[in-house]
Amino acid sequence: MSELKTKAKVLKKASRTLSMLSADDKNQSLERIAVALLKQKNWIMEENKKDILQGEKAGMSSSLLDRLLLTEDRLHQIVDGVRQLIHLEDPIGQTVETWERPNGLKMESIRVPLGVIGMVYEARPNVTVDAACLCLKAGNAVLLRGSSSAIHSNKALVTVMKKALMNNSPIPTDSLQLLEDTSRETANEMFKLNEYLDVLIPRGGAGLIQSVIKQATVPVLETGVGNCHLFIDQSAKKQMAIDIAVNAKTQRPSVCNTAESLLLQKDWPYIPSIIEELHNQGVELRGSSELAKQYSFMKTATEEDWRTEYLDKILSVKLVDSVQDAIEHINEYGTAHSEAIVSEDQDHVDLFFKAVDAAVLYHNASTRFTDGEQFGYGAEIGISTQKLHARGPMGLRAITTTKTIVKGTGQIRP
Amino acid sequence: MSELKTKAKVLKKASRTLSMLSADDKNQSLERIAVALLKQKNWIMEENKKDILQGEKAGMSSSLLDRLLLTEDRLHQIVDGVRQLIHLEDPIGQTVETWERPNGLKMESIRVPLGVIGMVYEARPNVTVDAACLCLKAGNAVLLRGSSSAIHSNKALVTVMKKALMNNSPIPTDSLQLLEDTSRETANEMFKLNEYLDVLIPRGGAGLIQSVIKQATVPVLETGVGNCHLFIDQSAKKQMAIDIAVNAKTQRPSVCNTAESLLLQKDWPYIPSIIEELHNQGVELRGSSELAKQYSFMKTATEEDWRTEYLDKILSVKLVDSVQDAIEHINEYGTAHSEAIVSEDQDHVDLFFKAVDAAVLYHNASTRFTDGEQFGYGAEIGISTQKLHARGPMGLRAITTTKTIVKGTGQIRP
């Protein structure tokens, strides 16, 4: 049997044991992992060095090499992440809903693990530990499919974690498997392994995610593009609007919850102030024609600009007539990720909340809060931009499902 | 532009209007549909006759022809179904959860429609109305892709429904579209229309469902196979066990929540009684070898039998040593649909509930209750056998999603 199928089968079996463990049992095993990673940090860094050397030889860019690199500091951060997971509440076994039927059947929906999760990701060895431990904490077995360029690091990390799960660890060592065969053919086979995998979670760039969605028959938890808008209403307070715009664009421009488009109600009195402040903060502005005419430093935005997730210190800016106009623009060009309105007019806010279709909508706050940590979930498996199962930041609960238990006294269906 | 894309685009636009309607508005439009269907019943039956004649010519089986047939009675039933929907609570706009963050952000997760749903189904014209109205009630626009052999019936039904949604109907007539091009190529294209469709729901046999899952890039709500088990524990009460076994197998053998396999704890004192009663009820029994030896009317079950969803008055029967044995068998051969234990031993029941992985688990009740109506959902879009989004019977809530609205006072991310 192929490596893939053998490991998948082992995972399916392990997932049954795992699903029945208590929070204490799982936390004890996660602590074993934390301790082992610290103990073996030198060996892990040595193995990581092999990937780095290989990457340098292959001409990998410095930013990719940086993502690949494991330092002592970074390993400590990774271990801190595992220990934070230990402190999170375990969603498994929680009662989601109870109800009773007229025939006396008592129904109870309870939270249970998904089963086996396939993680597909790029050359970021920290994901190997983060994702694996998040899955285990929620009682799921996990198949890790990382990048071939991080294979030495991944093998080392998984070896250390699996060893930590031997010798009477409540979480069985079989619960965690690294797919060492990183060929494209095997990946394709993995994406269609409905018999053993309950869900696939791709983590990485749009290319990776789209490729998984296109090929998979296993259900996918889709994370994706954020073309997020900030709409400044006529009634918006000057400083609040400026602060939010600067924060939403510049606090961390490379992530999906950063604002990419600023919509300004044309009669708002502080348009020049917000534009100049953004310009002073080093943001490249691309404006609709009437704006571009007024500011020498502003390029004219093309149709393409309204659709672009820059992930950079670039912002498209448009004047709109009204909140309705803003809503129409957002529903046309947005990616249903995070959309914000700054306004003191409650009717406008209500309309915005009702008419804009997105995972998260903000009133008088930065779009940068769309994040598992910021939402209070403690850890994040990604931000869902699809509508099924989970929408927005996904924490532990997003990698669970429910089962309904029905308590009867001999009921049969008439 | 193709019929598919044109209609999908129109649906996407209509879904925005639809998502903002009140329950009263939607109900008013559904009542228009009910009235119109009754008014036009003769024309609908005439059009249906064309499909029937065509089916007869093509040599369609009598059971398929029966599914295709629309009689006056059946049209009345269909209209009753629409009116039942009117009385159901509208899930849209409900608050699912509220929480607050230390920085003062107030979060509220509210229920909203999925958007545009693609329904894919077989030659059952009643589904055209049922599915469309269920989607509309939950604020979703719907693209119907039925079978070419029901095309006249479907066109007639959709024409009547769309006309009912003209002239100031709150639900816009654009919210409902029938894909008249029933070619396989166009179906494949539809399954990949992620730009416009939020979810696909196939309704029909395993072949149809698997074909959608294999081809689709749009997320699929999977409904599927039920290889359901009934385990009779050593402590089970005699008459209760027999009644539940007979009900679970014979009350309606052709549906997915019927029992297909009976597991008998070997020391239960009433084994001969349950076997003879099932035999007397006309059930064909296929037993493990030790049982087959004892009963002349019992065939020996093959490995294949344990995996088979008969959907017929056939039942496989096995002796097991213990509840653990039963659990192992179920987790090996079951399809995670509905599994039942009859027992007076609470420890065994608790273990069964904990260790069996299925959408619905029963104690002392028939598996036949896995059904939207029986669960109290009022209407059913299908029974989900996947773990994402919805598991078990799916009512209106299963065709909704959430959005989180965040109320701030100028918060920015530090």
Side-chain angles (χ1 to χ4, degrees):
Chain A
M1 209 185 283
S2 67
E3 184 211 353
L4 171 64
K5 279 213 175 153
T6 308
K7 290 189 170 171
K9 219 171 165 175
V10 161
L11 284 166
K12 180 97 176 178
K13 201 165 166 229
S15 75
R16 300 217 173 99
T17 310
L18 196 45
S19 72
M20 293 174 66
L21 296 180
S22 70
D24 283 351
D25 281 345
K26 286 180 280 190
N27 289 339
Q28 190 204 311
S29 291
L30 290 176
E31 179 59 26
R32 283 168 173 243
I33 288 177
V35 169
L37 287 170
L38 285 181
K39 217 169 163 184
Q40 298 294 322
K41 65 185 174 190
N42 290 327
W43 180 61
I44 294 168
M45 285 187 288
E46 274 166 39
E47 293 300 304
N48 175 250
K49 189 84 194 156
K50 295 182 186 168
D51 289 329
I52 295 289
L53 287 173
Q54 200 176 280
E56 283 170 350
K57 260 193 210 158
M60 211 182 240
S61 75
S62 59
S63 74
L64 284 182
L65 283 169
D66 183 60
R67 285 182 173 195
L68 184 55
L69 183 68
L70 287 175
T71 61
E72 186 151 352
D73 253 20
R74 287 180 181 183
L75 276 168
H76 278 278
Q77 276 171 29
I78 288 171
V79 169
D80 284 350
V82 177
R83 288 192 164 136
Q84 276 165 30
L85 276 178
I86 292 174
H87 293 107
L88 289 184
E89 201 185 351
D90 182 1
I92 300 307
Q94 290 177 350
T95 298
V96 177
E97 207 177 354
T98 58
W99 70 107
E100 199 173 330
R101 298 294 302 147
N103 60 7
L105 286 179
K106 290 192 168 65
M107 334 285 276
E108 183 180 3
S109 165
I110 54 172
R111 208 163 278 292
V112 296
L114 281 170
V116 184
I117 296 178
M119 291 291 319
V120 188
Y121 54 103
E122 292 167 339
R124 298 191 123 173
N126 62 310
V127 175
T128 303
V129 182
D130 292 354
C133 291
L134 204 57
C135 290
L136 295 175
K137 170 84 189 194
N140 297 292
V142 59
L143 179 61
L144 299 163
R145 198 280 183 190
S147 160
S148 59
S149 50
I151 192 72
H152 295 96
S153 317
N154 289 342
K155 273 188 188 171
L157 290 165
V158 171
T159 301
V160 171
M161 291 193 282
K162 282 178 74 73
K163 271 199 187 152
L165 298 179
M166 287 176 176
N167 305 322
N168 302 315
S169 155
I171 295 182
T173 185
D174 280 351
S175 316
L176 178 62
Q177 305 286 346
L178 175 72
L179 186 59
E180 298 185 12
D181 172 356
T182 55
S183 70
R184 199 164 286 200
E185 296 68 41
T186 302
N188 287 353
E189 209 187 314
M190 172 182 170
F191 303 162
K192 295 181 165 62
L193 216 57
N194 297 54
E195 193 184 346
Y196 299 111
L197 299 182
D198 293 291
V199 59
L200 294 174
I201 307 181
R203 265 175 79 162
L208 174 80
I209 292 163
Q210 285 309 312
S211 128
V212 175
I213 289 170
K214 273 191 191 129
Q215 295 164 60
T217 54
V218 175
V220 179
L221 275 186
E222 180 178 352
T223 57
V225 173
N227 184 17
C228 307
H229 296 76
L230 177 65
F231 167 58
I232 312 294
D233 195 24
Q234 184 174 2
S235 61
K237 288 184 185 167
K238 179 184 176 187
Q239 200 54 44
M240 187 193 285
I242 293 174
D243 289 347
I244 291 176
V246 169
N247 185 262
K249 180 69 261 183
T250 68
Q251 201 258 347
R252 198 171 167 204
S254 64
V255 292
C256 62
N257 59 19
T258 201
E260 304 292 5
S261 223
L262 178 67
L263 305 177
L264 299 164
Q265 201 283 332
K266 64 179 173 37
D267 304 314
W268 187 55
Y270 314 107
I271 292 178
S273 311
I274 202 169
I275 286 178
E276 288 181 14
E277 183 58 25
L278 285 162
H279 176 63
N280 291 340
Q281 295 281 340
V283 177
E284 178 188 330
L285 297 166
R286 302 191 185 170
S288 47
S289 52
E290 68 276 40
L291 279 172
K293 262 181 234 160
Q294 288 175 57
Y295 299 92
S296 59
F297 52 76
M298 203 184 281
K299 284 190 193 167
T300 306
T302 62
E303 171 71 15
E304 186 60 20
D305 279 301
W306 308 122
R307 302 202 179 275
T308 301
E309 187 193 25
Y310 300 113
L311 298 175
D312 202 346
K313 276 178 93 170
I314 308 173
L315 185 68
S316 60
V317 193
K318 188 182 182 181
L319 293 189
V320 294
D321 286 343
S322 61
V323 62
Q324 285 85 355
D325 250 29
I327 291 167
E328 213 164 289
H329 180 94
I330 292 171
N331 281 339
E332 172 68 25
Y333 295 100
T335 53
H337 188 294
S338 303
E339 308 293 355
I341 177 172
V342 181
S343 173
E344 297 300 312
D345 181 329
Q346 195 56 44
D347 287 346
H348 288 187
V349 176
D350 291 344
L351 181 65
F352 188 88
F353 279 166
K354 206 166 176 193
V356 175
D357 178 33
V360 192
L361 301 174
Y362 292 91
H363 172 219
N364 291 352
S366 170
T367 54
R368 287 278 296 118
F369 290 105
T370 302
D371 171 275
E373 202 83 46
Q374 297 296 324
F375 263 51
Y377 298 164
E380 181 187 284
I381 197 92
I383 295 171
S384 164
T385 51
Q386 70 172 42
K387 293 182 181 175
L388 285 192
H389 190 67
R391 204 175 185 202
M394 296 187 287
L396 281 176
R397 205 161 62 180
I399 50 172
T400 68
T401 181
T402 57
K403 65 181 173 193
T404 303
I405 62 180
V406 181
K407 296 170 189 172
T409 51
Q411 282 85 346
I412 57 172
R413 187 150 166 196
Chain B
M1 210 186 284
S2 67
E3 183 210 352
L4 171 65
K5 279 215 173 153
T6 307
K7 289 187 171 171
K9 218 171 166 176
V10 161
L11 285 167
K12 180 96 177 178
K13 202 166 166 227
S15 75
R16 301 220 172 98
T17 310
L18 195 45
S19 73
M20 294 174 66
L21 296 179
S22 70
D24 284 351
D25 280 345
K26 285 180 279 188
N27 289 338
Q28 189 203 312
S29 292
L30 290 176
E31 178 58 27
R32 283 169 172 241
I33 287 177
V35 169
L37 288 170
L38 286 181
K39 216 168 163 185
Q40 298 294 323
K41 64 185 175 190
N42 291 328
W43 180 61
I44 294 168
M45 286 188 288
E46 274 166 39
E47 292 299 304
N48 176 250
K49 188 86 191 156
K50 295 181 188 168
D51 289 330
I52 294 290
L53 288 172
Q54 202 178 279
E56 283 170 348
K57 261 192 213 161
M60 210 182 242
S61 76
S62 60
S63 74
L64 283 182
L65 282 169
D66 183 60
R67 284 183 172 196
L68 184 55
L69 183 68
L70 287 175
T71 61
E72 185 149 353
D73 253 20
R74 288 180 179 184
L75 276 168
H76 278 279
Q77 277 171 28
I78 289 171
V79 169
D80 284 351
V82 177
R83 286 191 166 137
Q84 275 166 31
L85 276 179
I86 292 174
H87 292 107
L88 289 184
E89 202 184 350
D90 182 2
I92 301 306
Q94 290 176 351
T95 298
V96 177
E97 207 177 356
T98 58
W99 71 106
E100 198 172 329
R101 298 294 301 146
N103 60 5
L105 287 179
K106 290 190 168 69
M107 333 286 275
E108 183 180 2
S109 164
I110 54 172
R111 210 164 274 294
V112 296
L114 281 169
V116 185
I117 296 177
M119 291 292 318
V120 188
Y121 54 104
E122 294 169 336
R124 298 191 121 173
N126 62 312
V127 175
T128 304
V129 181
D130 292 354
C133 290
L134 205 57
C135 290
L136 295 175
K137 171 83 189 194
N140 297 291
V142 58
L143 179 61
L144 299 162
R145 198 278 183 189
S147 161
S148 59
S149 50
I151 191 73
H152 295 96
S153 317
N154 289 343
K155 273 189 189 172
L157 290 165
V158 171
T159 301
V160 171
M161 290 193 283
K162 282 178 72 73
K163 270 198 187 154
L165 298 179
M166 287 174 175
N167 305 323
N168 302 317
S169 155
I171 295 182
T173 186
D174 280 350
S175 316
L176 178 63
Q177 305 285 345
L178 175 72
L179 186 59
E180 299 186 11
D181 172 357
T182 55
S183 70
R184 198 164 288 201
E185 295 70 39
T186 302
N188 287 354
E189 208 186 316
M190 172 181 169
F191 302 162
K192 295 182 165 61
L193 216 59
N194 298 53
E195 192 183 348
Y196 299 112
L197 299 182
D198 293 290
V199 58
L200 294 174
I201 308 181
R203 266 174 76 162
L208 174 80
I209 292 163
Q210 285 309 313
S211 130
V212 175
I213 289 170
K214 274 192 190 129
Q215 293 163 63
T217 54
V218 175
V220 179
L221 276 186
E222 180 177 353
T223 58
V225 172
N227 184 19
C228 306
H229 297 75
L230 178 63
F231 167 58
I232 311 294
D233 194 24
Q234 183 174 1
S235 61
K237 288 185 184 166
K238 178 184 177 187
Q239 200 54 46
M240 188 194 283
I242 293 175
D243 290 347
I244 291 176
V246 169
N247 184 262
K249 181 68 263 184
T250 69
Q251 201 257 348
R252 199 171 167 206
S254 64
V255 292
C256 62
N257 59 20
T258 202
E260 305 291 6
S261 222
L262 178 66
L263 305 178
L264 298 165
Q265 200 282 333
K266 63 180 173 37
D267 304 314
W268 187 56
Y270 314 108
I271 292 178
S273 311
I274 202 168
I275 286 179
E276 286 179 15
E277 183 58 26
L278 286 161
H279 177 62
N280 291 340
Q281 295 282 340
V283 177
E284 179 188 328
L285 297 166
R286 303 190 186 170
S288 47
S289 53
E290 68 277 40
L291 279 172
K293 263 181 234 160
Q294 288 175 56
Y295 300 92
S296 60
F297 53 75
M298 204 184 280
K299 285 189 194 167
T300 306
T302 62
E303 172 70 14
E304 185 62 19
D305 278 300
W306 308 122
R307 301 202 179 274
T308 301
E309 187 192 26
Y310 300 113
L311 298 175
D312 202 347
K313 277 178 93 171
I314 307 172
L315 185 68
S316 59
V317 193
K318 188 181 182 181
L319 293 189
V320 294
D321 286 342
S322 61
V323 62
Q324 285 85 354
D325 250 28
I327 291 167
E328 213 164 289
H329 180 94
I330 293 171
N331 281 339
E332 172 67 26
Y333 295 100
T335 54
H337 188 294
S338 302
E339 309 293 356
I341 177 173
V342 181
S343 173
E344 297 300 313
D345 182 328
Q346 195 56 46
D347 286 346
H348 288 187
V349 176
D350 290 344
L351 181 65
F352 189 88
F353 279 167
K354 206 166 176 194
V356 176
D357 178 33
V360 192
L361 301 174
Y362 292 91
H363 172 219
N364 291 351
S366 171
T367 54
R368 288 278 295 119
F369 290 106
T370 303
D371 172 275
E373 202 83 47
Q374 297 296 324
F375 264 51
Y377 298 163
E380 181 186 283
I381 197 93
I383 295 171
S384 164
T385 51
Q386 71 173 40
K387 294 182 182 175
L388 285 192
H389 189 67
R391 204 175 184 201
M394 297 187 286
L396 281 176
R397 205 163 59 180
I399 49 171
T400 67
T401 182
T402 56
K403 67 181 173 192
T404 303
I405 62 181
V406 180
K407 296 170 188 170
T409 50
Q411 281 85 347
I412 58 171
R413 190 153 165 196

